[in-house]
Amino acid sequence: EVRGRALKRIRRRMARGEYGDVHRLVVQTFMSKRVMLEKEAMELVKSSARKFPDCGVAEPKTANELAAFFQSVNKEIGDGGVGYAKLARLGIEDPKAPKASAEDREASKGPDIYWGLQSVKDDIKDKKGELAKLMDSKQYSDAELFLFKLILEELCTVGGRGKEGLLDYNDGINLYSKVQPKALKPESSQYCIDRLVAEGWLNTIVDRKGRNNKHTSERLTLGVRSMIDLQLFVSDTWPKEELCCVWQHNWLFKWIPAPAGGGLAAETDDEEDADQGNAGEDDAVGGGGQQGIEGGKDADKSQEE
């Protein structure tokens, strides 16, 4: 009789899709890794479901089923739950960037798709401390956060030195002199940037055609973690016409090479109109209503021999 009641409770829990051990294991893994490709996320949920079969979580077979599972997670950890974060889907479209392998080049004709944790601290009023709160880190000083914002400005705005999301590594370090109220030392600036790269906020690539095609150059670009967690920060900090990046349908990230002024907004609007027919499909797999998510792309190798 006791066993029968327990089985009934399990069946009711399965029918309701309640938050259980499978969901907890997935969240714990994301708290550690922060970001992963969609195919990796799919395998994570499948292996977690097999590990805890009594939870009754079906192994997802499609992107829609994976998104449905993550929506059930978000009800527990997001705005309607503990208010910690939510799992968000991000597409990154950069036709210049090579795929990681021949298999990826063959299999993927669309954007690279990621899932990652996104802070739900969207209603922050204290603009001065907003970046620190969004990054949810006590490990960065005010000066280091100021430096990171300068780097974001260089990368994400049409007036910055970062072209199409690429900033020379040394130029990033040299921003130490602009930090207020007191400049950082060069070595402190480099240490901060290296930590931002290690934690996924920035990414580094090697541009073999850099510095007037004479030298190999290391470049900084946005990490996927920033593309997910700092979307609202970037969009709220700089006007749309000043940005050289866009999150189409709130999930598809693109670098837009356009001049300052009306050109960027016009191109963005045209692309969004052209893509409108695909918006329903994006929503179905969890993209349209979510903001999204590793870190930046490889160097532009289209000119390489």
Side-chain angles (χ1 to χ4, degrees):
E1 182 179 356
V2 174
R3 179 177 174 81
R5 287 198 299 267
L7 288 174
K8 288 181 180 179
R9 286 196 298 270
I10 291 174
R11 293 192 185 100
R12 286 196 297 268
R13 186 174 68 233
M14 290 165 57
R16 293 194 297 266
E18 287 184 357
Y19 191 86
D21 290 334
V22 175
H23 304 77
R24 294 186 186 94
L25 180 57
V26 169
V27 170
Q28 289 169 2
T29 304
F30 267 101
M31 289 176 67
S32 175
K33 298 188 68 172
R34 302 299 303 190
V35 174
M36 62 184 73
L37 285 164
E38 186 167 65
K39 62 182 180 181
E40 295 173 329
M42 182 82 75
E43 287 304 313
L44 170 63
V45 177
K46 288 181 178 179
S47 63
S48 300
R50 290 193 293 267
K51 186 172 183 178
F52 298 103
D54 290 344
C55 290
V57 175
E59 296 183 27
K61 296 181 176 62
T62 66
N64 286 343
E65 292 175 356
L66 181 66
F69 173 83
F70 285 147
Q71 288 170 3
S72 67
V73 172
N74 289 340
K75 291 178 181 179
E76 180 72 19
I77 69 173
D79 291 311
V82 298
Y84 166 66
K86 64 181 178 180
L87 286 163
R89 188 172 186 261
L90 175 75
I92 303 176
E93 187 171 286
D94 188 350
K96 306 187 307 304
K99 302 299 180 183
S101 66
E103 181 182 355
D104 290 337
R105 287 194 295 271
E106 182 67 24
S108 176
K109 295 182 180 179
D112 293 330
I113 306 297
Y114 295 85
W115 282 89
L117 281 175
Q118 181 187 61
S119 171
V120 296
K121 302 174 183 178
D122 297 343
D123 56 349
I124 297 172
K125 306 300 182 182
D126 179 14
K127 287 291 182 180
K128 183 178 180 181
E130 183 174 11
L131 186 58
K133 294 176 182 178
L134 283 172
M135 292 173 67
D136 196 22
S137 174
K138 299 179 181 179
Q139 300 179 9
Y140 292 94
S141 67
D142 289 343
E144 289 172 328
L145 290 170
F146 197 104
L147 173 66
F148 185 33
K149 185 176 179 181
L150 290 174
I151 294 173
L152 290 175
E153 185 171 17
E154 296 288 349
L155 288 172
C156 298
T157 66
V158 293
R161 283 177 289 180
K163 303 304 179 184
E164 296 186 48
L166 297 175
L167 176 67
D168 186 88
Y169 180 82
N170 290 323
D171 287 343
I173 293 174
N174 290 335
L175 291 171
Y176 71 88
S177 61
K178 296 184 178 181
V179 172
Q180 297 177 4
K182 184 179 180 180
L184 285 170
K185 294 181 179 179
E187 57 270 23
S188 298
S189 178
Q190 181 175 3
Y191 176 68
C192 174
I193 289 174
D194 289 345
R195 286 172 59 206
L196 291 167
V197 171
E199 294 183 9
W201 298 106
L202 295 174
N203 192 27
T204 55
I205 60 145
V206 175
D207 182 2
R208 293 180 174 83
K209 296 292 184 180
R211 299 187 183 179
N212 299 321
N213 294 332
K214 295 181 180 179
H215 302 285
T216 297
S217 176
E218 190 173 13
R219 303 296 183 101
L220 294 170
T221 189
L222 284 186
V224 172
R225 187 173 181 181
S226 286
M227 294 177 186
I228 294 179
D229 239 356
L230 302 185
Q231 175 186 350
L232 287 177
F233 175 78
V234 171
S235 301
D236 290 345
T237 302
W238 295 282
K240 179 180 179 180
E241 61 271 14
E242 292 183 13
L243 292 175
C244 61
C245 59
V246 64
W247 286 264
Q248 285 188 350
H249 305 307
N250 226 19
W251 79 282
L252 181 60
F253 180 89
K254 293 183 180 182
W255 293 109
I256 300 181
L264 175 61
E267 181 176 349
T268 302
D269 292 340
D270 289 344
E271 288 184 346
E272 288 182 346
D273 291 341
D275 288 343
Q276 200 64 43
N278 298 324
E281 180 180 351
D282 295 339
D283 290 344
V285 294
Q290 299 188 39
Q291 298 167 16
I293 92 187
E294 163 132 339
K297 293 296 182 180
D298 294 335
D300 180 358
K301 296 185 180 178
S302 60
Q303 301 296 324
E304 289 187 18
E305 295 180 358

